[in-house]
């Protein structure tokens, strides 16, 4: 027997508004689940669902002493990351999705989805998950309701968002909310046994920006299934932001406090997926005199405040970070954050019931269960944890979480960083010449591809403007125009942009910069620039620090290796700008004129460097 409208009414909390009841009943009639539950976000619910998943084999409970209240899930090898080729922006006009998105006609896509979702929850429980992105009731926050047939999604959403009763209370007050429907796409026939990672080979991650709707089918993983994250907080929110004069960005947010005068600086930074945003957000400075506090590690929503400055909130309540490479030496604060109450996906399991991944501290164990669930030894010759394996952890558990991380009005942004993985060409740090140059820097970001998506070749260089390539819900060139508009609106109160690159290598392939905690040295220079305390020298890609102004105490960076960090090869840049021009051409006449002017100015600087 599938769920009827009466069942929906009986299961719903007393304050559920009629429009929500009607929508849930409609989705239930389409997807025909066997049961329905409204998520309340309580500990009791978490305990019940995690125990249920332990029973069904979806979760392995980790060693209670080493990792209390924490669980491991293993996905299928076909469902380990976002699927960009199956991600669609269904705007009425194709040009509103633009060349960087897969477009589909909304009417046609709705018809396809109707077919896919018909009966797709048979044999399963439908969970109705009310949630808030951003602090409950905050002026920058937004509400949503995800319907999902995955208890794994419910538990992850409890960590990643403010989920449950309080969110429904706000919806009941009449606040707008985004409907988001998710199914793993595997109906169960009577008596058919479930698998531990149900998912469908055919996946659809679809967005309807004009009506603020999200429909996701076939995947249980990360950004494909936790619809508050990339689907809502970036793709839908970026279109809302364009309409309403704010910004939804793929950026971490941190607070840097300078001990000498107590001055606080807030920095946001855009890097493509799996390029170390979590590490930078939780950085432990290697230079004295600074304290870092984390506000967010992945997404920033920014709005002009009453004083005309730009204010940022982290819309998420947890971190969904890449596990491999995370250790007490690379990111001790992340290690502390995940000590309890965490979900791990596709990492390896140790013989004493704890987690392990490549790059974690200590000796490599003699035996593990790998992410496929098979025995593993160091001789196996394969990775024990998937390169995109993840931890889901409550942000509140981070020892350096900022005291204002839930401030509803956000924190005032002082500087915006753009980065990527670049073995060559891009200097350690460069400041914008003028506002439009800042947008040009963001627009021309290119980065070596990581494992965060399944269907793009890792290692290759690809254009990833503003680190938003897979996340911009509308035409990317219009998005650049929106940035220029926001800059014009805020004038000199709009934060300056800096291009950074921690990943530069020498000709032998050795890292030229130690990275991690030593990136505090770059932040130190940036905030002294913001405070107007230090000069910069004009260079090809932007304004650079003077060697003598930059804190290199205790580092083995000579004037010679410093020069390598800032070395510019005019031929390589000329070739890259030819390529960038070709890239810009794919947007036709939508590319804002100031961006093309910046390209011309950049070429002049390259030419001058040749003489
Ligand atoms: O999209 S995910 O949330 O799975 C992670 C990412 O790509 O940044
Ligand atoms: Mn991300």
């Amino acid at each position: 027997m599938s769920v009827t409208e009466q069942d929906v009414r009986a299961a719903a909390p007393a304050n559920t508004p009629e429009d929500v009841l009607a929508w849930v009943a409609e989705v239930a009639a389409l997807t025909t689940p066997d049961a329905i539950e409204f998520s309340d976000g309580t500990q009791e619910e978490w305990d019940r669902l995690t125990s249920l998943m332990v029973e069904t084999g979806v979760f392995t409970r980790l060693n209670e002493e080493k990792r209390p209240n924490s669980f491991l899930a293993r996905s299928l090898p076909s469902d380990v990351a976002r699927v960009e080729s199956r991600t669609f922006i269904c705007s009425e006009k194709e040009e509103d999705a633009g060349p960087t998105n897969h477009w589909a006609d909304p009417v046609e896509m709705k018809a396809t989805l109707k077919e896919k979702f018909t009966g797709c929850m048979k044999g399963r429980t439908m969970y109705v998950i009310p949630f808030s992105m951003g602090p409950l009731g905050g002026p920058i926050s937004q509400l949503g309701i995800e319907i999902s047939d995955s208890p794994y999604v419910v538990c992850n959403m409890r960590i990643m968002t403010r989920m449950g009763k309080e969110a429904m209370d706000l919806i009941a007050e009449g606040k707008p909310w985004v409907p988001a429907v998710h199914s793993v796409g595997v109906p169960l026939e009577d008596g058919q046994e479930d698998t531990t990672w149900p998912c469908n080979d055919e996946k659809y991650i679809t967005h309807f920006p004009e009506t603020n709707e999200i429909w996701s089918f076939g995947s249980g993983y990360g950004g494909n299934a936790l619809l508050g994250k990339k689907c809502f907080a970036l793709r839908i929110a970026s279109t809302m932001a364009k309409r309403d004069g704010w910004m939804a960005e793929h950026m971490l947010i941190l607070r840097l406090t300078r001990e000498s005068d107590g001055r606080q600086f807030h920095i946001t930074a855009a890097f493509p997926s799996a390029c170390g945003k979590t590490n930078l957000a939780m950085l432990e400075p290697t230079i004295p005199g600074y304290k870092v506090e984390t506000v967010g590690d992945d997404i920033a929503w920014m709005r002009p405040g009453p004083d005309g400055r730009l204010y940022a909130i982290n819309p998420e309540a947890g971190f969904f970070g890449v596990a491999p490479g995370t250790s007490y030496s690379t990111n001790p604060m992340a290690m502390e954050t995940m000590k309890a109450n965490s979900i791990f996906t596709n990492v390896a399991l140790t013989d004493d019931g704890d987690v392990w991944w490549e790059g974690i501290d200590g000796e490599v164990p003699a035996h593990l269960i790998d992410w496929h669930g098979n025995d593993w030894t160091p001789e196996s010759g394969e990775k024990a944890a998937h390169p995109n394996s993840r931890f889901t952890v409550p942000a509140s558990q981070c020892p350096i979480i900022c005291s204002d991380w839930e401030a509803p009005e956000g924190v005032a942004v002082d500087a915006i960083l753009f980065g990527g993985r670049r073995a060559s060409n891009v200097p350690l740090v460069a400041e914008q010449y003028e506002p439009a140059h800042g947008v040009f820097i963001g627009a021309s970001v290119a980065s070596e591809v990581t494992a965060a998506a399944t269907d793009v070749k890792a290692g290759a260089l690809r254009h990833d403007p503003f680190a938003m390539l897979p996340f911009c819900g509308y035409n990317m060139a219009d998005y650049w125009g929106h940035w220029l508009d926001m800059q014009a609106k805020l004038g000199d109160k709009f934060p300056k942009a800096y291009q950074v690159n921690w990943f530069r290598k020498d000709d032998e392939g050795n890292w030229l910069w130690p990275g991690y905690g030593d990136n505090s040295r770059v932040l130190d220079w940036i905030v002294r620039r913001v405070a107007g305390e230090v000069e910069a020298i004009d260079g090809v890609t932007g304004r650079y620090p003077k060697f003598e102004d930059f804190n290199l105490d205790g580092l083995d960076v000579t004037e010679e290796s410093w020069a390598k960090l800032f070395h510019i090869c005019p031929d390589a840049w000329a070739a890259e700008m030819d390529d960038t021009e070709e890239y810009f051409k794919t947007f036709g006449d939508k590319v804002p004129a100031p961006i093309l002017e910046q390209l011309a100015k950049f070429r002049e600087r390259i030419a001058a460097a040749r003489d």
Side-chain angles (χ1 to χ4, degrees):
M1 264 295 283
S2 68
V3 168
T4 64
E5 195 183 331
Q6 280 75 6
D7 297 329
V8 171
R9 285 182 184 274
N15 64 351
T16 313
E18 278 303 319
D19 61 335
V20 174
L21 289 169
W23 172 68
V24 174
E26 196 187 313
V27 177
L30 176 68
T31 58
T32 65
D34 278 17
I36 179 162
E37 269 184 36
F38 280 70
S39 298
D40 59 13
T42 57
Q43 185 64 36
E44 181 280 322
E45 174 180 65
W46 165 276
D47 291 342
R48 186 168 48 79
L49 290 182
T50 53
S51 300
L52 173 82
M53 284 189 278
V54 170
E55 246 170 67
T56 55
V58 174
F59 268 176
T60 301
R61 189 183 295 277
L62 297 172
N63 185 321
E64 270 299 320
E65 259 147 50
K66 293 181 173 256
R67 201 81 53 182
N69 193 29
S70 298
F71 303 87
L72 165 67
R74 294 187 194 103
S75 80
L76 282 193
S78 59
D79 198 24
V80 293
R82 284 182 292 102
V83 277
E84 295 186 3
S85 58
R86 304 298 302 162
T87 300
F88 299 92
I89 300 296
C90 311
S91 48
E92 273 167 33
K93 287 196 238 136
E94 182 167 2
E95 65 166 14
D96 288 337
T100 56
N101 283 311
H102 299 284
W103 175 79
D105 177 84
V107 175
E108 278 170 30
M109 183 56 89
K110 280 272 170 76
T112 305
L113 291 171
K114 196 167 175 197
E115 195 192 311
K116 292 285 149 201
F117 277 84
T118 297
C120 72
M121 295 192 187
K122 185 172 174 351
R124 300 188 181 277
T125 299
M126 166 194 272
Y127 298 93
V128 183
I129 313 163
F131 63 94
S132 171
M133 299 310 291
L136 285 153
I140 311 183
S141 304
Q142 299 278 347
L143 298 156
I145 303 181
E146 176 165 352
I147 288 181
S148 174
D149 54 8
S150 159
Y152 169 88
V153 164
V154 180
C155 290
N156 276 272
M157 286 292 280
R158 182 170 186 258
I159 296 176
M160 295 305 296
T161 72
R162 282 89 174 169
M163 172 192 110
K165 184 180 174 311
E166 287 84 2
M168 190 63 106
D169 287 343
L170 291 166
I171 290 169
E173 280 174 22
K175 297 236 160 58
W177 54 280
V178 168
V181 186
H182 167 254
S183 173
V184 294
V186 185
L188 295 170
E189 294 311 320
D190 292 339
Q192 184 184 337
E193 231 185 274
D194 201 4
T195 62
T196 54
W197 192 272
C199 65
N200 195 304
D201 283 345
E202 212 180 337
K203 301 184 189 348
Y204 289 88
I205 321 297
T206 69
H207 310 74
F208 297 82
E210 279 120 5
T211 47
N212 292 345
E213 291 168 88
I214 302 162
W215 289 79
S216 167
F217 180 88
S219 168
Y221 204 85
N224 300 332
L226 312 177
L227 303 185
K229 195 174 178 58
K230 308 298 185 178
C231 299
F232 183 171
L234 288 175
R235 298 193 192 98
I236 293 294
S238 62
T239 57
M240 288 176 156
K242 164 107 166 60
R243 280 196 295 263
D244 301 338
W246 52 286
M247 308 171 89
E249 302 298 332
H250 192 204
M251 292 180 180
L252 67 90
I253 312 166
L254 66 83
R255 169 182 287 174
L256 191 65
T257 305
R258 183 160 72 175
E259 276 149 18
S260 59
D261 58 359
R263 184 161 169 187
Q264 292 177 345
F265 301 88
H266 297 102
I267 296 175
T268 67
F271 291 80
S273 298
C275 285
K277 282 205 298 299
T278 308
N279 292 340
L280 183 60
M282 298 178 193
L283 161 139
E284 280 205 308
T286 51
I287 53 173
Y290 283 106
K291 188 173 92 176
V292 166
E293 290 165 86
T294 311
V295 179
D297 81 328
D298 195 38
I299 299 174
W301 283 358
M302 305 196 284
R303 253 181 217 267
D307 59 358
R309 297 186 67 195
L310 195 61
Y311 283 78
I313 65 159
N314 169 13
E316 300 189 279
F319 307 127
F320 183 66
V322 178
T326 309
S327 70
Y328 274 95
S329 61
T330 60
N331 193 340
M333 291 303 124
M335 295 302 287
E336 287 293 310
T337 308
M338 64 179 90
K339 272 181 148 171
N341 313 314
S342 302
I343 298 170
F344 297 86
T345 308
N346 287 344
V347 303
L349 180 68
T350 63
D351 289 348
D352 58 0
D354 202 4
V355 287
W356 191 89
W357 47 79
E358 281 72 19
I360 202 173
D361 310 88
E363 303 272 292
V364 176
H367 176 262
L368 293 163
I369 302 294
D370 70 10
W371 71 276
H372 295 284
N374 298 330
D375 287 309
W376 182 96
T377 66
E379 288 75 49
S380 296
E382 284 191 20
K383 292 209 163 27
H386 187 275
N388 192 43
S389 54
R390 300 270 173 162
F391 49 80
T392 320
V393 296
S396 59
Q397 290 181 189
C398 178
I400 54 163
I401 195 74
C402 180
S403 52
D404 286 327
W405 84 281
E406 299 196 276
E409 69 285 357
V411 294
V413 180
D414 292 286
I416 297 177
L417 276 49
F418 292 107
R421 276 177 194 273
R422 292 298 301 263
S424 63
N425 264 11
V426 179
L428 179 63
V429 56
E431 184 185 87
Q432 71 177 41
Y433 275 108
E434 54 192 320
H437 183 226
V439 180
F440 176 79
I441 288 173
S444 50
V445 168
S447 185
E448 290 147 32
V449 170
T450 64
T454 51
D455 41 7
V456 272
K457 197 170 156 280
L461 198 66
R462 75 165 176 176
H463 292 279
D464 191 350
F466 287 78
M468 283 288 276
L469 179 73
F471 306 124
C472 186
Y474 60 103
N475 190 303
M476 182 65 82
D478 289 337
Y479 165 92
W480 302 335
H482 181 52
W483 263 77
L484 292 164
D485 288 347
M486 293 298 292
Q487 285 179 327
K489 199 158 141 192
L490 299 191
D492 27 331
K493 289 196 171 143
F494 196 94
K496 276 192 189 140
Y498 294 81
Q499 184 178 39
V500 297
N501 179 24
W502 328 132
F503 300 96
R504 193 140 183 193
K505 291 180 178 168
D506 66 14
D507 296 339
E508 282 79 51
N510 306 308
W511 298 112
L512 280 170
W513 180 248
Y516 301 109
D518 284 310
N519 293 333
S520 57
R521 298 167 191 271
V522 177
L523 300 187
D524 164 55
W525 182 75
I526 289 172
V527 301
R528 282 187 289 141
R529 283 293 294 160
V530 169
E533 296 162 356
V534 67
E535 285 183 359
I537 18 177
D538 290 357
V540 176
T541 62
R543 295 197 168 113
Y544 306 141
K546 290 184 181 162
F547 178 70
E548 60 272 24
D549 285 339
F550 199 89
N551 187 341
L552 292 166
D553 293 351
L555 265 197
D556 189 21
V557 175
T558 59
E559 212 162 342
E560 199 191 339
S561 51
W562 172 264
K564 281 191 193 164
L565 276 166
F566 287 87
H567 176 72
I568 293 295
C569 171
D571 287 344
W573 269 112
E576 182 157 338
M577 283 308 106
D578 289 348
D579 179 62
T580 299
E581 187 178 11
E582 286 305 307
Y583 183 62
F584 286 170
K585 276 187 189 155
T586 63
F587 300 93
D589 56 11
K590 278 199 174 264
V591 181
I595 303 297
L596 297 175
E597 277 159 28
Q598 289 300 322
L599 177 67
K601 285 188 181 178
F602 190 15
R603 281 187 162 139
E604 279 167 26
R605 294 196 297 271
I606 294 169
R610 276 213 174 100
D611 303 336

